[in-house]
Amino acid sequence: MSTKVSALTQATNAEIADASLAYLVVDPSGTPTSRKSSLDRLGTLKDSWVDDLRDLVTPTVGATNQTTGHYFINLRSGQTCTGVRVYWAGTAVRTLKLALYEDGNATALKSATVTTTTTPGYYSVTFGSAQSLDRKKAYCITCYEQSASEAMALASMLVSGGGFFWLAPGYASGRYRDYVISTWAAYASGDALPGSLSAGSVYPVEPVISG
């Protein structure tokens, strides 16, 4: 159960340790997405892969018919994926199919759609029911534009210098509060599980995880 803490006098209540007490709100200025967080992990890691990317790259869309996304591994037992969040850079009204796949399974575990506006921004969906996640498996979170007119374009996380390519400044790893991004950009032709990877590039799409 969850408990609303309404006064400082509740600070000694044992129920404040309940895992459903704290909710992290992502992008409150736009379309907010809440994520359940236990008290022992608040502030330990960055919360959002997509927000991190927006600080480092400028997302774009291209005229291709592709499913794009990233593979990830959840960090704790008992976690569920409740939806998907993206940054869509297109300026035409589109319907995005956002989905969760299990690695190796061509049929999506969960999916839902959201309609964009003519203004680039954050969009998210909540599945009809949450999907339990297994720590021994990898999953892929994806975005597919249903008219097949556009897809997220690759955004490079590499910068050049001294004859070498380096990760963009400020990007330390793919480890976040609820998951680890385990691959670079993953993509497939049409509406399908991504099976191809592009080293050094990324897409602004992430899982919404609770637990």
Side-chain angles (χ1 to χ4, degrees):
M1 63 177 289
S2 61
T3 299
K4 180 180 179 181
V5 179
S6 57
L8 290 177
T9 54
Q10 292 292 320
T12 58
N13 191 323
E15 290 177 345
I16 67 171
D18 183 86
S20 63
L21 171 70
Y23 283 81
L24 305 172
V25 178
V26 180
D27 188 32
S29 63
T31 302
T33 300
S34 65
R35 298 179 181 183
K36 187 169 66 175
S37 176
S38 57
L39 295 181
D40 62 354
R41 63 191 174 92
L42 286 174
T44 58
L45 291 169
K46 291 183 179 180
D47 182 59
S48 172
W49 158 257
V50 170
D51 289 355
D52 218 9
L53 297 187
R54 290 281 290 118
D55 288 338
L56 298 171
V57 300
T58 301
T60 59
V61 297
T64 54
N65 176 23
Q66 289 184 333
T67 298
T68 54
H70 287 281
Y71 282 82
F72 73 94
I73 299 170
N74 58 301
L75 288 181
R76 283 167 292 280
S77 298
Q79 288 181 301
T80 62
C81 182
T82 60
V84 186
R85 182 171 177 259
V86 302
Y87 184 89
W88 183 254
T91 56
V93 175
R94 304 293 189 192
T95 299
L96 307 181
K97 176 185 176 182
L98 306 180
L100 171 71
Y101 289 85
E102 181 183 311
D103 184 22
N105 186 346
T107 301
L109 296 172
K110 301 286 182 179
S111 67
T113 60
V114 62
T115 300
T116 71
T117 68
T118 56
T119 302
Y122 292 96
Y123 297 91
S124 63
V125 298
T126 300
F127 299 139
S129 60
Q131 175 64 45
S132 297
L133 300 176
D134 187 337
R135 289 198 66 201
K136 298 178 182 179
K137 297 179 180 179
Y139 299 88
C140 189
I141 210 76
T142 65
C143 176
Y144 178 69
E145 193 275 293
Q146 291 197 304
S147 76
S149 301
E150 291 182 309
M152 292 179 177
L154 289 169
S156 178
M157 291 292 289
L158 300 177
V159 295
S160 60
F164 297 93
F165 285 94
W166 309 88
L167 284 173
Y171 182 76
S173 72
R175 185 181 178 92
Y176 290 80
R177 181 172 285 114
D178 293 316
Y179 52 84
V180 175
I181 297 294
S182 57
T183 65
W184 293 108
Y187 60 93
S189 296
D191 183 5
L193 169 67
S196 300
L197 302 179
S198 179
S201 299
V202 291
Y203 296 117
V205 54
E206 67 184 0
V208 178
I209 294 179
S210 287

